Amino acid sequence: MEFQPQEAASLSKLPTGGDESSTKKASGPASNTDSPSISSSPNASRTDFEGSDHIDDGEPQDGIAPNVPRVSSSPDDVITWEPLALVQTRTSIGSSASRPPEYEVVFEPGDPENPKNWPTWYRAWIIFCVSFSTWAVVVYSTTYTSIIPGLGDEFNVSAQISTLGVTTYLFGLAAGSVIVAPLSEIYGRRPVYIVCLLAWAALVVPCGLATSIEEILVVRFFGAFFGAAMVSNSPGTIVDIMDHEYLSLGMSCWSIAPLNGPVTGPIIGGFVYQYMGWRWANWIVLIIGGGAILVIITVKETYTPTILQRKAARKRKETDDDRYWSQFDQRASTLEVLKLNMGRPFVLAVTEPILIFFNIWISIIYAILYLCFVAYPIVFVQYRQWSPGFAGLGFLGIGIGTMIAICLEPLWRRIINSHKKDPETGHVFPEAIGSVMCIGSFLTPIGQLVFSWTSLPPIHWAIPIAFGIPFGLGNTLAFIYSGNYLAGCYEYYAASAMAGNAVIRSVLGGTLPLAGNAMYKALTPQWAGTLLGLCEVLLIPIPFIFYRYGDKIRAKSKIIRQMKEERAKNQGKRARQLAREARRMAREQALREGEAETKVVQVSEGTVNIREVV
């Protein structure tokens, strides 16, 4: 599964608050890691999230240059700071100097166009829609593992060749996350969701009608390429609609379906293949995809920049006044935006020590998780002689562990918030999130090692399935809170940081399962599983190192130092802007007092002019 906790908070770190201050000028505090949430998505929208509840109220965003001043014609007016990359946009409304602050289009308090002010029932419906649609894309990645024997029989190919369908799907998710998914930053979330879901569903059809394994391998890549938009951007939608106080709850509810996609895939695929044949595994997914398209159509646009751009354009049209503008009106070309989104993730991945180690850790445990979708059928079908349908039930332990990790979110949040607060922001340091990652780093190898040595008869089948629980629990904690940690460290560059992580882990996750059949045949399930478990043991120190020394490692990061300098500059600009605004208001007040000049009092003797100061 290609899962991003963005751009959540995402994915997008663009201001999404429900009041004027959250959508107007660039200002505000640094990151907020006060309570954890799901982080996904590599672009997300890219949610920075790509998905934690870190929301940067007005700081420069991922893919957007530091703020530059916009000075109005009067030297006494307020200097407003806006991102450099946003000065030139597609919706041309004149130069930045011709944008008077009083004509800036923002969300007013209680604005019905602000997604955070939509009715609770509709926001809950949106969470369901994007969660279900993401699940549809994810479940298709693992239903395939159950039909691998049928593909081998149909096309007379080896299991290794058939397994390539998992590889090409994950490669497609990786490519789409850096090419297709960022289009939501240009066109908004809704059109990207609808178009990409339609393309993804349409590409299921050739797989169901395939006459060769080559057709399936190629088509699955392009299907995942479009499906990546749903997986990468949906956490950003949750950030768009949820207040900060309830963001963790929204993310937890959303993540239930996507995180259980890899588990439910083999269960559905196993029974469908057993009773209806391998082609019907595709038709079932197509039916699910059709439902996903129907529900996603009911979701309105939630991306704040797109909404404000449209609102400003509407005001210009209705009033025939080109002075209306929003801070998100961009003239940067689509090609420039895509170049930036595609280049920065890989630069950060090879230059940032934090990302180098996190990419290694997350990629390996992600690859081992996908290797399980090859290993479990070997254990339960070949050695325990279960049917394909019942063999899929072996994944229930992992699913239960995933649900436990999600449902215990209040406990993890309490653990994180019990740590020392950053005096500058009032929130815990990003390293506090490492405490939960440390728990996950122990649980994952425990589940893997015990499963390995209890997987074969005569040991009862319930024991290896039960130890899938700590395995699933540990994996989920690692995926969710590593994304939150990266979001807390890289703030408005978190989408780029997690995009690189997503590509690397998808490549490794798609490659390692190719060795699964040969490895389990040569080493037996016990020793093959032990080898994987020991690899996970070797990775345990990584979250502990960042938990203990993360502040020192962050201090050596060039880009994090740059963000701190930019934040300090923006705070100074904000202070000067407020002072200038105060002086302007004082002058206006004095002018009003001067205009209350003469009150004429009519008395019997005549007219007396009395000057009053009100």
Side-chain angles (χ1 to χ4, degrees):
M1 178 192 69
E2 181 59 37
F3 174 67
Q4 292 311 308
Q6 139 124 84
E7 83 118 70
S10 100
L11 191 59
S12 142
K13 286 292 185 292
L14 292 169
T16 54
D19 55 25
E20 183 173 351
S21 63
S22 65
T23 57
K24 217 168 179 179
K25 320 301 186 280
S27 66
S31 67
N32 177 5
T33 55
D34 200 29
S35 63
S37 66
I38 311 301
S39 176
S40 133
S41 166
N43 302 286
S45 21
R46 297 183 345 225
T47 77
D48 288 355
F49 357 162
E50 288 169 135
S52 80
D53 26 345
H54 164 81
I55 301 179
D56 219 3
D57 291 332
E59 291 288 340
Q61 308 305 321
D62 188 21
I64 300 175
N67 293 344
V68 296
R70 182 182 66 249
V71 188
S72 61
S73 56
S74 170
D76 295 328
D77 286 341
V78 178
I79 296 180
T80 306
W81 295 83
E82 65 179 3
L84 177 61
L86 298 186
V87 175
Q88 300 288 330
T89 75
R90 296 191 323 272
T91 53
S92 175
I93 57 173
S95 67
S96 60
S98 66
R99 297 179 178 183
E102 62 270 21
Y103 286 90
E104 181 180 5
V105 176
V106 297
F107 286 142
E108 303 296 339
D111 194 331
E113 293 190 59
N114 184 351
K116 296 181 187 298
N117 294 331
W118 291 347
T120 302
W121 70 266
Y122 184 65
R123 288 186 288 161
W125 171 251
I126 291 175
I127 293 175
F128 166 78
C129 292
V130 296
S131 180
F132 176 76
S133 301
T134 306
W135 174 77
V137 174
V138 172
V139 79
Y140 190 36
S141 69
T142 53
T143 53
Y144 181 88
T145 61
S146 299
I147 66 172
I148 288 176
L151 295 176
D153 295 339
E154 176 85 11
F155 302 119
N156 194 28
V157 295
S158 66
Q160 286 82 357
I161 298 298
S162 300
T163 305
L164 279 171
V166 177
T167 302
T168 57
Y169 198 85
L170 290 178
F171 283 8
L173 289 177
S177 66
V178 295
I179 299 176
V180 177
L183 293 177
S184 68
E185 297 180 357
I186 303 171
Y187 302 108
R189 304 202 196 283
R190 188 173 187 271
V192 172
Y193 284 162
I194 294 174
V195 171
C196 288
L197 266 180
L198 285 170
W200 170 82
L203 289 169
V204 175
V205 176
C207 291
L209 300 174
T211 57
S212 68
I213 190 66
E214 292 81 8
E215 294 176 35
I216 295 176
L217 301 183
V218 173
V219 173
R220 278 179 63 85
F221 171 85
F222 287 104
F225 180 82
F226 289 103
M230 197 71 241
V231 178
S232 300
N233 293 335
S234 55
T237 297
I238 309 304
V239 175
D240 293 341
I241 65 174
M242 297 301 294
D243 293 320
H244 176 69
E245 181 180 359
Y246 299 103
L247 180 59
S248 293
L249 175 62
M251 282 291 191
S252 297
C253 293
W254 168 83
S255 67
I256 291 174
L259 282 178
N260 281 288
V263 175
T264 53
I267 297 175
I268 295 173
F271 281 109
V272 171
Y273 167 63
Q274 180 177 342
Y275 293 105
M276 304 176 72
W278 69 267
R279 294 186 186 275
W280 263 98
N282 294 284
W283 304 137
I284 292 296
V285 170
L286 182 61
I287 294 171
I288 295 172
I293 293 170
L294 291 178
V295 298
I296 208 66
I297 290 175
T298 67
V299 175
K300 296 189 293 186
E301 181 59 61
T302 64
Y303 193 41
T304 292
T306 300
I307 295 173
L308 290 178
Q309 286 174 2
R310 293 174 180 175
K311 187 175 182 180
R314 186 174 67 248
K315 280 185 173 290
R316 292 193 295 271
K317 181 178 180 180
E318 292 173 352
T319 62
D320 196 25
D321 189 342
D322 287 342
R323 288 178 294 179
Y324 284 101
W325 61 280
S326 82
Q327 71 176 95
F328 304 108
D329 290 328
Q330 300 185 23
R331 293 185 201 137
S333 68
T334 300
L335 183 59
E336 290 173 342
V337 174
L338 290 177
K339 283 182 178 179
L340 183 64
N341 289 334
M342 293 174 61
R344 181 180 289 157
F346 301 103
V347 173
L348 294 180
V350 298
T351 59
E352 286 291 307
I354 295 175
L355 293 178
I356 292 173
F357 285 101
F358 266 77
N359 288 345
I360 293 173
W361 177 41
I362 297 300
S363 297
I364 291 178
I365 63 174
Y366 188 80
I368 292 175
L369 172 63
Y370 263 84
L371 183 58
C372 288
F373 299 113
V374 176
Y376 271 55
I378 293 175
V379 168
F380 290 107
V381 175
Q382 295 183 16
Y383 286 90
R384 291 187 178 269
Q385 302 300 309
W386 288 15
S387 66
F390 280 98
L393 296 176
F395 293 98
L396 285 177
I398 298 177
I400 293 172
T402 299
M403 289 299 301
I404 291 174
I406 295 172
C407 294
L408 290 181
E409 187 274 336
L411 173 62
W412 312 132
R413 188 194 323 152
R414 185 177 306 172
I415 292 174
I416 291 173
N417 291 339
S418 66
H419 288 73
K420 180 181 177 181
K421 300 285 194 298
D422 184 347
E424 293 184 5
T425 65
H427 306 297
V428 294
F429 291 96
E431 286 68 41
I433 301 175
S435 58
V436 179
M437 294 191 294
C438 292
I439 297 173
S441 69
F442 269 113
L443 293 173
T444 302
I446 289 174
Q448 176 66 39
L449 290 170
V450 178
F451 173 86
S452 301
W453 287 99
T454 60
S455 59
L456 302 184
I459 299 175
H460 195 275
W461 55 264
I463 297 178
I465 292 178
F467 275 91
I469 295 176
F471 181 76
L473 175 58
N475 275 321
T476 303
L477 293 180
F479 295 147
I480 292 175
Y481 293 97
S482 64
N484 287 356
Y485 179 79
L486 294 180
C489 290
Y490 290 97
E491 301 176 10
Y492 49 85
Y493 289 112
S496 294
M498 289 185 287
N501 179 277
V503 172
I504 294 172
R505 77 187 194 186
S506 294
V507 170
L508 191 58
T511 303
L512 188 58
L514 295 176
N517 285 285
M519 183 172 68
Y520 273 76
K521 182 178 180 180
L523 299 179
T524 73
Q526 292 100 327
W527 285 108
T530 300
L531 176 62
L532 299 175
L534 292 177
C535 289
E536 292 170 331
V537 169
L538 294 176
L539 299 174
I540 290 177
I542 291 180
F544 280 90
I545 291 173
F546 283 95
Y547 178 57
R548 179 67 180 84
Y549 303 106
D551 56 338
K552 297 179 181 179
I553 298 174
R554 284 190 293 115
K556 296 180 179 179
S557 169
K558 180 179 179 180
I559 194 169
I560 292 177
R561 290 199 306 269
Q562 176 185 340
M563 287 189 297
K564 289 183 177 180
E565 293 171 358
E566 291 174 358
R567 185 184 307 120
K569 291 179 181 178
N570 285 333
Q571 289 172 347
K573 296 168 187 174
R574 175 65 172 172
R576 291 193 296 272
Q577 178 179 334
L578 292 175
R580 189 179 294 271
E581 175 72 10
R583 290 195 299 269
R584 186 176 66 84
M585 294 178 65
R587 286 194 298 272
E588 292 177 353
Q589 179 67 19
L591 181 62
R592 285 193 297 268
E593 291 174 350
E595 290 175 350
E597 293 179 339
T598 305
K599 178 177 289 186
V600 179
V601 179
Q602 185 71 38
V603 294
S604 58
E605 294 80 9
T607 300
V608 180
N609 290 334
I610 301 174
R611 182 177 299 275
E612 293 183 348
V613 177
V614 180

